[in-house]
Amino acid sequence: MSSVSSALGNATIDLNADVGEGFGAWRITDDDTMLGIVTAANVACGFHAGDPRTMRAVCRTAVRRGIAIGAHVGYRDLAGFGRRYLEVDPAELVDEVLYQIGALDAIAGAAGGRVAYVKPHGALYNAITTHTGQATAVVEAIRQYNPALPVLGLPDTQFLQLAREAGLNTVAEAFADRAYRPDGHLLPRSEPGAVITDPYEVARRSLRMVVAGEVTAADGSIVPIRPDSLCLHGDTPGAAELARAVRSALLAAGVEIRSFVA
């Protein structure tokens, strides 16, 4: 994957967003608006959120607009929105991740598209940064399904290291609307200030990460970060406004917004 240049005007970045995170009659994300802003769509596959009809609607819109479709795989945890850690046997987790990718790929194919990458969700995303068994399981599921699929993850973590060792293409991402710890991991949502909702601040932080390659952690320390993609959470309050602010700030600074999917 291409690295991000720190020179103003020469940087490129992908913008990904979590979408399709409703269930049945309940709608959480403004999918139509977000898919007019980003270049990659992390589509919920029915385990932490999402259902076949929602998945199909998102895929149709993504295909029509040329947005890359990604499988947003998570724990089987609709009640907790996939944000609760589950002690899943690694062999079972392989099967569950395979199931989610395959389901979305079938629906994307019916819409004229395909699953182009995989990104774990929520508690699973956080767990596999350090949990060897679950990280290995997610990598193995992707490898078995299609080893050409890139994976999105937090930089300098066990998950991306294992993915690289398995021959997968890895995409390092940063989070526009989340606070960071000094070690480069995300500040837990349970802590004050973990989610940033001010459009100016989110845009300023995003531009600094892409152009300067750094972000200020919650304790005031500077954390180096070189993202290939920026995540814009679709369920954050005012998500569409935040996404527009980030996109506008990047374009105004001469940053090229481009999907990492070939």
Side-chain angles (χ1 to χ4, degrees):
M1 295 296 161
S2 61
S3 61
V4 176
S5 168
S6 61
L8 186 63
N10 293 330
T12 64
I13 195 70
D14 168 81
L15 296 180
N16 76 79
D18 302 343
V19 293
E21 291 187 319
F23 187 77
W26 288 269
R27 292 288 174 262
I28 295 175
T29 51
D30 184 355
D31 298 333
D32 192 64
T33 298
M34 293 300 286
L35 290 175
I37 300 170
V38 300
T39 50
N42 315 319
V43 184
C45 302
F47 271 37
H48 77 277
D51 58 75
R53 187 164 189 172
T54 301
M55 292 160 67
R56 190 161 193 175
V58 170
C59 287
R60 283 172 171 164
T61 301
V63 169
R64 187 171 66 250
R65 296 181 180 176
I67 306 301
I69 297 171
H72 204 25
V73 300
Y75 290 132
R76 189 189 294 269
D77 181 29
L78 281 173
F81 200 63
R83 288 183 176 156
R84 301 180 295 189
Y85 170 75
L86 298 182
E87 189 62 57
V88 184
D89 178 81
E92 183 178 356
L93 187 57
V94 171
D95 297 339
E96 294 196 338
V97 172
L98 273 170
Y99 182 96
Q100 292 175 79
I101 299 171
L104 181 62
D105 205 21
I107 289 176
R114 64 181 178 89
V115 167
Y117 66 94
V118 177
K119 175 183 171 177
H121 164 81
L124 178 61
Y125 184 102
N126 292 325
I128 61 179
T129 62
T130 57
H131 192 300
T132 302
Q134 292 196 4
T136 301
V138 174
V139 169
E140 180 61 15
I142 298 166
R143 188 195 67 77
Q144 289 184 21
Y145 189 83
N146 182 356
L149 289 178
V151 295
L152 265 72
L154 206 62
D156 303 318
T157 56
Q158 181 174 234
F159 173 57
L160 288 195
Q161 178 61 34
L162 290 170
R164 283 191 292 270
E165 291 173 0
L168 304 181
N169 291 322
T170 60
V171 181
E173 72 170 338
F175 290 81
D177 56 358
R178 291 294 307 279
Y180 279 80
R181 299 187 327 205
D183 63 0
H185 287 241
L186 299 178
L187 191 69
R189 285 178 177 268
S190 59
E191 296 190 23
V195 180
I196 304 165
T197 58
D198 177 70
Y200 174 81
E201 180 63 13
V202 169
R204 186 188 67 81
R205 288 168 62 88
S206 297
L207 188 60
R208 186 179 176 193
M209 286 189 283
V210 173
V211 174
E214 63 183 25
V215 65
T216 301
D219 68 348
S221 61
I222 305 300
V223 178
I225 189 166
R226 294 285 179 179
D228 295 305
S229 184
L230 276 180
C231 177
L232 305 161
H233 283 106
D235 65 316
T236 298
E241 183 182 3
L242 298 180
R244 289 192 191 96
V246 169
R247 184 180 179 94
S248 295
L250 292 170
L251 291 175
V255 175
E256 179 183 3
I257 298 173
R258 182 178 66 198
S259 174
F260 60 83
V261 176

